[in-house]
Amino acid sequence: MSRQSNPISTEMSSGLWSTSPLYQNAVMDLDLAGTKMGIDPNVLERLKAPKRAMCVSIPVRMDDGSVKVFEGYRVQHNTTLGPGKGGIRFHPEVNLSEVSALAMLMSMKCSLVGLPLGGAKGGIRVDPRKLSRPEHQALTRRFTMEIIDMIGPEKDVPAPDIGTDAQHMAWMMDTYSMAKGFSVPGVVTGKPIEIGGSLGRPESTGRGVVYVVEHAIELLRKKKKANYNLKEMTAAVQGFGKVGAVAAYELTIRGCKVVAVSDFYGGIYNSKGLDIVDATEYMDKHHTLKGYPHGEPITNEQLIALNVDILVPAAIDGVVTRDNMKTVKAKIISEGANGPITSEAQSYLESQGVTVIPDILANAGGVIVSYFEWVQGMQQFFWNETEVNEKLAEVMLKSFNQVAGVADRYNCGMKTAALISSVERLSKAMLLRGLFP
């Protein structure tokens, strides 16, 4: 695939950005929310398509001397509220439609939690486990140069995602800075602390996932729908990476019994509760939970069907579908991943009385603290971790209460309520700015 010298328009793309189930689910959910709130149809139509997308080819000289060409993408869905914001993922299933869907979710997420940022996303179609460190660096730096005209502190600010981490952000920042001739820490977030990263950023998404679980329990208590106590509840976490591992730990230190966690290869189960710190150390050493001695092996499908109070799907999209939705027994689901529950499954679970905390709210902690990092980088004034966590908790609580209020007002589930709340703010801004020309 050759690099497009200019962003591709929606007409030129022939709808390629709308082919994935994730994108179709996002549009279906948006339609439902738009109908419920009576949104201006012109605004709704505009929100269904990305603002711009770039597809690039990334030639990399591999360790064996051969040159391999990878496919890369950067999509900006909506920048009405501010610069684009969204991660860069390295994954073998990355494609234009998936990245476009994730950019749309980022637009909704930033609007929902009140950030002056728009939605963007990027990715490279690659299996990161098969790359050496030098290959990772070469791939990241060349990709940065290919999309350099799209990104920048005032344009579009990438961050880590699946398959990438703080080191990748350091390489992106350095590459961008070398091209500009001076250090530009605000071009990415999720950087190492030593070069302008924010304290609390690596744990922020997982922490936010648990903050909203606590708020959901309190809300259910107030409505007298259940007498839940987190210290007496059980949980299962599907996905034991940057989000899932932190969420599992945060649940544990609050007294919740985490009985199962899983990774790409499968999971582990212990009815008495897992030692999350020990499991994390095992994962760091072996890069898999397979063979962990203090738990029984289970599949990801079995984990989703466990008889637990709380389920945290924190891996990839589309893990709860019409095929397995009736096996779910959890009473509260906090979506740590983007789009882990399909629209059909969402409707079914809500009809069964399950409280589903949607992705654009549940996993918003990452972009909230990314915003904090961006602000700190622009000002060159940094906060301590306590300040970061307090500000994160404040924004998450305000956003949760806002969604809960909209859900009551429109008599709908939290997913629809979150989208209504998000689109209300975004549509007002779009209408005020108008259509150019």
Side-chain angles (χ1 to χ4, degrees):
M1 182 181 293
S2 60
R3 176 179 176 178
Q4 300 289 330
S5 58
N6 295 305
I8 55 175
S9 70
T10 54
E11 291 83 9
M12 290 171 64
S13 70
S14 302
L16 289 175
W17 41 265
S18 60
T19 58
S20 73
L22 181 61
Y23 202 100
Q24 292 162 7
N25 271 304
V27 170
M28 196 181 306
D29 292 337
L30 185 61
D31 268 329
L32 180 61
T35 301
K36 196 86 172 174
M37 68 186 289
I39 188 177
D40 185 316
N42 294 319
V43 171
L44 182 62
E45 193 65 21
R46 184 66 190 92
L47 289 175
K48 292 180 183 179
K51 177 182 177 69
R52 62 172 63 91
M54 181 177 281
C55 307
V56 298
S57 60
I58 313 161
V60 175
R61 190 173 299 282
M62 309 301 282
D63 291 344
D64 63 4
S66 65
V67 174
K68 188 170 183 179
V69 180
F70 299 90
E71 297 174 13
Y73 308 93
R74 188 66 184 176
V75 175
Q76 294 167 355
H77 173 261
N78 189 288
T79 56
T80 300
L81 298 173
K85 189 77 192 75
I88 302 286
R89 66 172 48 182
F90 287 6
H91 193 275
E93 301 303 319
V94 164
N95 57 61
L96 177 60
S97 182
E98 179 194 61
V99 174
S100 298
L102 294 167
M104 179 191 289
L105 292 174
M106 284 300 301
S107 291
M108 302 302 139
K109 192 181 301 182
C110 291
S111 177
L112 173 64
V113 298
L115 302 182
L117 299 169
K121 208 74 175 184
I124 299 174
R125 192 177 181 88
V126 61
D127 187 343
R129 296 167 299 178
K130 296 181 179 179
L131 299 180
S132 67
R133 179 184 170 87
E135 289 167 345
H136 267 281
Q137 180 169 184
L139 181 63
T140 302
R141 288 184 180 276
R142 182 58 185 258
F143 176 62
T144 304
M145 288 304 299
E146 293 293 337
I147 65 168
I148 198 166
D149 292 338
M150 282 188 75
I151 62 174
E154 293 85 18
K155 289 183 180 179
D156 184 354
V157 185
D161 200 89
I162 294 173
T164 57
D165 57 22
Q167 179 59 74
H168 293 85
M169 295 305 104
W171 289 327
M172 287 195 78
M173 174 196 158
D174 182 69
T175 304
Y176 185 89
S177 298
M178 291 294 288
K180 298 299 178 182
F182 53 91
S183 182
V184 189
V187 68
V188 295
T189 59
K191 304 180 295 296
I193 301 299
E194 295 80 0
I195 55 171
S198 175
L199 294 168
R201 172 60 183 86
E203 302 85 8
S204 57
T205 308
R207 281 190 182 131
V209 166
V210 177
Y211 286 165
V212 291
V213 168
E214 292 182 297
H215 300 329
I217 290 171
E218 183 63 27
L219 180 65
L220 290 169
R221 279 204 209 106
K222 285 181 179 177
K223 292 186 173 183
K224 298 182 180 179
K225 288 188 175 182
N227 188 27
Y228 292 143
N229 183 337
L230 190 56
K231 293 182 179 180
E232 299 172 358
M233 299 173 78
T234 57
V237 179
Q238 191 255 341
F240 201 58
K242 293 190 287 282
V243 178
V246 174
Y249 175 74
E250 292 288 329
L251 285 167
T252 300
I253 64 175
R254 287 165 172 76
C256 181
K257 186 191 295 183
V258 178
V259 298
V261 296
S262 68
D263 62 15
F264 179 80
Y265 301 101
I268 52 174
Y269 170 79
N270 187 325
S271 61
K272 296 180 180 179
L274 293 163
D275 183 335
I276 298 302
V277 173
D278 186 60
T280 302
E281 290 175 352
Y282 183 92
M283 182 75 171
D284 290 342
K285 182 178 180 180
H286 299 277
H287 306 292
T288 178
L289 292 168
K290 191 175 182 179
Y292 182 70
H294 306 301
E296 304 170 21
I298 59 170
T299 65
N300 276 294
E301 282 293 315
Q302 289 172 327
L303 181 145
I304 287 168
L306 285 174
N307 187 16
V308 293
D309 300 302
I310 301 164
L311 175 63
V312 179
I316 58 174
D317 60 277
V319 296
V320 180
T321 67
R322 65 181 303 177
D323 297 328
N324 63 354
M325 61 188 185
K326 293 184 179 179
T327 69
V328 175
K329 301 178 183 66
K331 303 173 184 69
I332 297 173
I333 301 177
S334 187
E335 292 187 314
N338 291 310
I341 303 175
T342 65
S343 297
E344 184 177 358
Q346 178 96 18
S347 298
Y348 170 78
L349 292 169
E350 288 177 345
S351 74
Q352 299 302 301
V354 179
T355 298
V356 182
I357 309 170
D359 48 7
I360 62 171
L361 173 60
N363 66 36
V367 73
I368 291 168
V369 179
S370 276
Y371 166 64
F372 296 163
E373 179 179 333
W374 179 64
V375 169
Q376 292 172 81
M378 298 287 276
Q379 296 178 335
Q380 289 297 300
F381 180 78
F382 295 89
W383 311 333
N384 63 47
E385 189 165 0
T386 299
E387 289 178 292
V388 171
N389 290 337
E390 286 176 351
K391 293 176 190 294
L392 169 62
E394 181 182 337
V395 176
M396 293 298 291
L397 176 59
K398 180 181 178 182
S399 301
F400 182 91
N401 287 339
Q402 180 178 314
V403 172
V406 172
D408 286 342
R409 191 162 83 239
Y410 284 91
N411 190 28
C412 62
M414 292 196 76
K415 180 63 169 279
T416 300
L419 284 169
I420 289 173
S421 182
S422 173
V423 171
E424 279 181 343
R425 178 179 182 234
L426 191 54
S427 63
K428 286 177 183 176
M430 292 171 69
L431 290 169
L432 284 167
R433 288 188 58 166
L435 184 65
F436 178 85

